Amino acid sequence: MALLFLRDISLSFGAAALLDKIHFQVDSGERVCIVGRNGEGKSTLLKVIEGIQPADEGSRIVQDGVKIAKLRQDVPHDIEGSIFDVVALGLGDIGETLKAYHHAALEGDMDQLEKLQHKIEAQNGWEMNQQVDTILSKLDLPADDEFSALSGGMKRRVLLAQALVQKPDILLLDEPTNHLDIPSIQWLEGFIKSLRCALVFITHDRAFLQALATRIVEVDRGQLFNWECDYATYLERKQAQLESEAKSNAEFDKKLAQEEVWIRQGIKARRTRNEGRVRALEKLRLERQARRSQQGSANLQVNVADTSGKKVIEITDLSFAWPDKVIVKDFSTLIVRGDKVGLIGPNGCGKSTLLKLLLGQEQPQQGRVELGTNLQIAYFDQHRAKLNEELSVAENVMDSSDYVEINGQRKHIIGYLSDFLFAPDRARQPVKSLSGGERNRLLLAQVFAKPSNLLILDEPTNDLDVETLELLEDLLLNYQGTVLIVSHDRAFLNNVVTSSIVFDAPGLVNEYVGGYDDWLRQRPNLDTSSAKTKSLTKSEAKVETKVDDKPAKKLSYKDQREYDALPGLIEQLETELEALGAQVADPEFYQQDQSAIDKILAKIQHKESQLEQAFERWEMLESQL
């Protein structure tokens, strides 16, 4: 049964209609995911469904008695009071009365309690109070905790409770997984599956979409396309649709071009031309003018610096703790050139602190962190601290010139930004006017414009549409440098990373081969009463994580001396190879005698062989510890 129906809805905020005579309905019990590129009108459609955004044309029909509630996209900063207070506000006026009664009960104000009790009884409020208590219990929320002191994930859980306390028939969710960690996302998935109401949601999280959606509705160039399938099937059918559309448009354009040639023929042709054919040509022109072509795809490029040394970051027995929390204890690993490493763990576990330790912004309390040679680092900050709100989009990317140089190619800043889907007029607008997805694309453009061989990406996927996400994945897979990624996007981690550093428990950091799903298969059964847990490590990691409950093995005196000297030898060989590589890169190198050229090339080959042998010997000795 249709709970809500939109008929012939049109809505525009500019020249092109965001919604152009669309039809949409929500049936009882279904879970509909709205997909589409950033800026296509997904959130606007959600507002029309909610009833807070009037349409220019068309009608919105809601069945009698149907309640609609929405979990807002961003957590407001001005909400005060206890969790009970915030949840009760979802009930409107009676919620305010219940909030006052709850506080009077805590304070023991009997006179106020008596007044409020009569008011609640007159409004049949005790049933509503029970609803609040039931929802708090179901979502495991402590009623008297202060809302402002909660983590971001817990705040979103409280706001979900505020929406659910209304007992909605249709629940609307706009990017519900933004800024949630993986445990919170998984909890939300399970909880939503248990609900009996209909769900309409927007998400960029493909794993979340695949787990929940029973129907997919795509917003594309003002139209809605209905897909009765899961996400994987949708991708296949969408690709087939785009190919069919491209073929149809090509045939149309070919016919139009032929007719344009005919109408411009000589005097004889114009005298004898068919007036019906002329009218048909006018119709073709109008159809072509009205056609809304799909916006071009982003063309993400990263400015690659000179190659770094083979060793990028070496971590040995690293330990660090804040006064109230252990971040990492006795962690060792080696990150080498070309690794794509994901950092996985719940919010607040210390992922950002570990990044600072790896980059030398924080100093280890025990152990050591050594950076390799010739590193050029580009850092994507999830808080977007590097964006100046008052400057334009273009001014946030360019330095002193209107041009940027990407991999030896000089591009005007407007052309470079168009690769990140910023039209010329949008590139000249201030950053404060951008949406969340546009801000993320701008920060990517800013970070990728700088030469790098080590990319640090802290939550790069928030607010990006799925198509841009997939392009970013392709770029990172083909990136020749090293990548460290902090992300809660399970599909993104599975598709990109070659190994994962995981916060398995407070202070217990382990490394695993592969992405998120690989970690699920490999992770140990943790005994939370003991930190003595062995982890599985990636096959290409040059260091094995030490196991606390086994006595450490000792090398012989000779082997220990060799082991201690190997890092210095490796660094020396890498430095010599870089110097030799610079000679070969000189344009005059190949103008020498052939014997001199062969001598240098042979020396490079010999040094590379020595370096490989040093790494192999170091790995073998390390495995004996």
Short mmCIF file of all heavy atoms in Angstrom, two decimals, residues 169 255 268 410 457:
data_model
loop_
_atom_site.label_atom_id
_atom_site.label_comp_id
_atom_site.label_asym_id
_atom_site.label_seq_id
_atom_site.Cartn_x
_atom_site.Cartn_y
_atom_site.Cartn_z
N ASP A 169 5.66 6.20 10.34
CA ASP A 169 5.37 5.20 9.31
C ASP A 169 6.44 5.24 8.22
O ASP A 169 6.69 4.24 7.55
CB ASP A 169 3.99 5.47 8.70
CG ASP A 169 2.89 5.41 9.73
OD1 ASP A 169 2.58 4.28 10.16
OD2 ASP A 169 2.38 6.47 10.12
N LYS A 255 21.65 11.97 -37.53
CA LYS A 255 20.51 12.37 -38.36
C LYS A 255 20.37 13.89 -38.41
O LYS A 255 20.15 14.47 -39.47
CB LYS A 255 19.23 11.74 -37.82
CG LYS A 255 17.99 12.10 -38.66
CD LYS A 255 16.75 11.42 -38.12
CE LYS A 255 15.52 11.81 -38.97
NZ LYS A 255 14.28 11.20 -38.47
N LYS A 268 19.13 25.32 -55.84
CA LYS A 268 18.24 24.32 -56.43
C LYS A 268 17.59 23.46 -55.33
O LYS A 268 16.40 23.19 -55.36
CB LYS A 268 19.03 23.44 -57.40
CG LYS A 268 18.17 22.37 -58.06
CD LYS A 268 18.99 21.55 -59.04
CE LYS A 268 18.12 20.46 -59.66
NZ LYS A 268 18.91 19.63 -60.60
N ARG A 410 51.33 21.78 -17.63
CA ARG A 410 50.87 23.06 -17.06
C ARG A 410 49.40 23.27 -17.41
O ARG A 410 49.02 23.23 -18.57
CB ARG A 410 51.72 24.20 -17.62
CG ARG A 410 51.61 25.51 -16.86
CD ARG A 410 52.77 26.42 -17.26
NE ARG A 410 52.72 27.70 -16.59
CZ ARG A 410 52.31 28.84 -17.16
NH1 ARG A 410 51.89 28.81 -18.42
NH2 ARG A 410 52.30 29.97 -16.48
N LEU A 457 45.46 10.15 3.89
CA LEU A 457 44.06 10.48 3.65
C LEU A 457 43.24 10.14 4.90
O LEU A 457 43.04 8.97 5.23
CB LEU A 457 43.52 9.72 2.44
CG LEU A 457 44.30 9.89 1.13
CD1 LEU A 457 43.70 9.02 0.03
CD2 LEU A 457 44.32 11.35 0.70
#
